[in-house]
Every structure is written in structure tokens, then in C-alpha cells.
Amino acid sequence: MTGPHVFVLKGYPRLSETFIAEEILGLERRGLDIRIVALRRPTDDSVHPVHGEIRAPVAYLPEYLHDAPLRVLGAWWRVRRRPGYGTALRRFLADLRRDPTRNRLRRFGQALVLVDDLPAGAAHLHAHFIHTPASVTAYAALVTGLPWTCSAHAKDIWTSPDWELAGKLAAARWTVTCTRAGRDRLAALAPADRPVRLGYHGLALDRFRPLPLLRPRRDGADPDDPVRLLAVGRAVEKKGFDVLLDALARLPPDRHWRLTHVGGGPERAALEARAERHGIAGRIAWLGPRDQAAVLAEYRAADLFALPCRVAGDGDRDGLPNVLVEAQSQGLACVSTAVGGVPELIGDGVNGRLVPPDDPEALAGALLALIGDPDRRRALGRAGQARVARDFDSAASLDTLAGYFGEVPARDAAPAAAE
């Protein structure tokens, strides 16, 4: 296929979406001409090194239509003459009846601006996330007749209604997702001629070398040399960090530990207050968001990694958290839960520990056992490192993904309806 591939992202660049940046860079290195369009501008104070290596130019749609009314109105005036505009408008109005929200109006307006701003010769649209970016992309595809595809991940799969997923899966040429659990949910809603493929993100392992030397044999007995625990992730419900704090509060006082948390998120203040109530705030360092180099340094300084994922009240859950793959790449023993795609990486007692979600007693027991047993931590860490090296090197997955993009035709003869 000739012409650029236009990648539609919710925001770019974002510290929490390193996997998307690594994928874009890997596809560029395999010959894809990519242009990035984001629905919102960056909010993070820093970026990862990978963002500086990506050549793709970046354009931004108006995050809110009232912020750029003349831009939106001008786009509508020009786009309304396109042959596919009527089809897209009818699809949008049908969607609006089922989802009468300002968000739905915003996505259609953003789609008009996307069409108006498409680079010359654009051959294909690709949405990262099957919720709002895919809505914008699907409407734009109907207007232009361009084929579109989608990468689905976690929250977008589990919090979108079936009717909307089914419509997008029927319209996209193919969809790829990063866990078997996510693939199974989407495949059950997709027609037979619109494949849903499994593709683990993996790691660009060269960025995570050289591998660390053997870790100290801390066992929590020495108050001057406590076991170093690490948790990385946004402070949101599905990460279960409140459960982690409840578990840590249950540990006996004669086992000495310190926890470092890396990440921002809306629940950060509530978590800090919870730690105060438990009387463990003095043992916790809240670092906030950090770039990849800083996070890598924390993996290498830690003795034990904890991420007690759960299903949130709105159905949101993790796919396969990249931080678990990263931690295991560094030989760091991990404790997590059997939620989402986590069991696709970690076998309980094989290369990590899995406990039930929302169970601080079970989590405390697993943490306590590993805090006091550096040999067991080392064995689990080595097994995790071997698993990542064998099955989660991104080079192979990127070769496969690049092949999928090569399958996309230059233009759909009759674009399918899109939700």
C-alpha cells in the first residue's frame, strides 16, 4: 500500500503509553510511513527517550469543539460535500440516539476536522483504543472511503457497550489486541470476515539491558536494610493499590520493608491518606510519574514488585500490564492477581505469585513469604526473566504487526457502517 498510515491516538506523547510509542517506532523502522493525530495534547511534564526517536509528525484535533469553533465549522463546510458525508452523518445520528451525550457530538466534530486535515495521499487510518479514538476514526473512514483498523487494549474493551464494539468490529478491516481475554471478548462480537488478532506488545529488550547483577539478600530482619518493594502504575481503582496498602498494614512489625510507588493518577491523594490511617506512611515514597530511564532504575533497585490488579466497579480492568513485563525482564520477583491478561504472563509459583483480587490477607501472606525468602525471590525472578526473553521480545510481534498493515487494501469499495 502506498501513502501514509494515519494513527489516531487519544493523547500523544504520554508517559503511561510507552507500548504505543515503541510500536510506532518499530513500525517506522519496518518501513511504514506514519502520521500521528491525537485527540488531546500532552499533559505530562516529560517524555520517554523513544518519543524523541519517532519521526512521524504529530497533529492535534480540537479536544473540545468549543475551543476551536471556526476550525470545526470550516471543516464541516468543506467536508459536507464529500460523497461519504451523508453515510457518516446517518451513522452518527443513529449512534447519537443510543448515546445522547456531548462526547458523541465531540467525536463526530473531531472526525470532520480529521478528514479536513488528512495528509495528501493518506491510504489508511488506524485507531489506538476501540473507544473514543475508534469512534473518530470510524466516522472519518465513512466520509473518505479509506480502510481503517484498530488496536484495542484494556479499558476500551471492558467498558464499551456490546452494540458499539460490534459495530466497530464489523467496520474495521481487522482488530488486534494484546491479551487472550480481550481477544475472546472481541471475537465473540466480530463477524467472521473481520478478524480479531492477538498480539502481545512485548518489550524492546535492548532498552532494558544490561541486566542487573544479583540483588542483595535482604530478608526484612534488619531495620537498617529493609526489603525494597516497588509498585508502578497510575493511581486508579483497577490497579488495586488500596488493597496493597491494606496488605502492607497487616505485615508483622518485625519484618522491615519500604515501598516506592511510581505513577500519577486521580486516587493518589486518597492512597496517601489511607497510608497515614494505617500508620505506614513513613515507609512509603510516592515518586509520581517518571520517564522510562527512571523507572528502570527503580526496577533495578527493588527486591519485590507488587501490582494487585482488580476489576473496577465500571468493569474496567488491566489487559497485560507492561510494567509486569518490564519488572520481570529485570529478574524482579512479582506478586499480582489472576485478572485480565496477567495469568498469560505469570504462572503462580512458576515465575511469580498470583493471589485473588481484592484479598489483602492473601496478598499480605504472599508478600510476607517473599520478603523473608531472598532465594525464592531470586528463583521466581530468574524464571520471569527467562519467560520474557523467550516470549515477549517485541521484535517478533512487530514483524507480525507490520505484515497486518501490508494486508490493508488501498480503499474500501463500500465502507461498512461504523458505531
Side-chain angles (χ1 to χ4, degrees), residues 8-11 14 17 37-40 61 63 99 101-108 110-111 114 127-140 148 150-151 155-157 159-161 164-165 168 419:
V8 182
L9 280 58
K10 190 169 184 179
R14 301 182 76 180
E17 294 176 359
V37 176
L39 308 188
R40 64 173 57 163
L61 301 179
E63 183 173 355
D99 176 32
T101 63
R102 293 180 65 183
N103 182 62
R104 182 65 58 177
L105 288 166
R106 187 184 352 166
R107 300 314 169 198
F108 188 68
Q110 288 174 318
L114 172 60
H128 258 289
F129 295 102
I130 202 169
H131 52 6
T132 49
S135 294
V136 174
T137 304
Y139 294 137
W148 73 282
C150 185
S151 293
K155 179 178 182 179
D156 52 327
I157 297 173
T159 63
S160 297
E164 187 162 14
L165 290 174
K168 290 171 178 173
E419 296 295 343

Side-chain angles (χ1 to χ4, degrees), residues 314-366:
D314 63 356
D316 187 16
R317 69 201 72 177
D318 273 307
L320 177 49
N322 265 39
V323 293
L324 284 174
V325 185
E326 292 173 358
Q328 292 219 314
S329 79
Q330 300 306 294
L332 185 55
C334 296
V335 180
S336 190
T337 58
V339 169
V342 175
E344 297 172 42
L345 170 68
I346 295 178
D348 183 34
V350 178
N351 62 323
R353 285 298 321 278
L354 297 179
V355 299
D358 290 300
D359 190 338
E361 289 286 353
L363 181 58

Side-chain angles (χ1 to χ4, degrees), residues 114-344:
L114 172 60
V115 171
D116 196 43
D117 289 354
L118 279 177
H124 164 237
L125 308 176
H126 182 74
H128 258 289
F129 295 102
I130 202 169
H131 52 6
T132 49
S135 294
V136 174
T137 304
Y139 294 137
L142 285 172
V143 174
T144 60
L146 291 174
W148 73 282
T149 54
C150 185
S151 293
H153 300 289
K155 179 178 182 179
D156 52 327
I157 297 173
W158 299 105
T159 63
S160 297
D162 286 358
W163 68 265
E164 187 162 14
L165 290 174
K168 290 171 178 173
L169 291 164
R173 299 292 301 190
W174 47 257
T175 301
V176 63
T177 190
C178 50
T179 66
R180 286 195 299 268
R183 181 195 59 188
D184 291 348
R185 167 159 165 74
L186 296 179
L189 298 169
D193 63 340
R194 300 289 177 163
V196 178
R197 291 156 166 163
L198 173 63
Y200 293 117
H201 296 303
L203 291 182
L205 291 178
D206 286 347
R207 294 189 188 276
F208 291 83
R209 296 189 175 102
L211 299 176
L213 300 174
L214 292 178
R215 289 180 164 81
R217 294 178 52 81
R218 302 184 180 100
D219 62 3
D222 184 353
D224 295 324
D225 192 20
V227 170
R228 299 180 181 182
L229 310 180
L230 177 64
V232 180
R234 296 187 70 243
V236 293
E237 183 184 2
K238 69 180 178 181
K239 299 297 184 182
F241 292 135
D242 56 330
V243 181
L244 176 58
L245 296 178
D246 293 349
L248 293 173
R250 287 167 163 79
L251 297 182
D254 61 349
R255 285 295 178 185
H256 302 282
W257 54 268
R258 294 292 184 273
L259 171 67
T260 297
H261 173 267
V262 178
E267 295 187 1
R268 163 80 176 270
L271 291 172
E272 292 189 44
R274 194 182 196 96
E276 289 282 359
R277 290 194 301 273
H278 281 315
I280 58 175
R283 298 184 175 196
I284 302 174
W286 305 91
L287 298 189
R290 290 290 189 271
D291 65 21
Q292 191 176 65
V295 178
L296 179 56
E298 295 298 333
Y299 291 137
R300 291 175 172 173
D303 301 305
L304 182 59
F305 188 87
L307 188 69
C309 306
R310 59 139 72 98
V311 179
D314 63 356
D316 187 16
R317 69 201 72 177
D318 273 307
L320 177 49
N322 265 39
V323 293
L324 284 174
V325 185
E326 292 173 358
Q328 292 219 314
S329 79
Q330 300 306 294
L332 185 55
C334 296
V335 180
S336 190
T337 58
V339 169
V342 175
E344 297 172 42

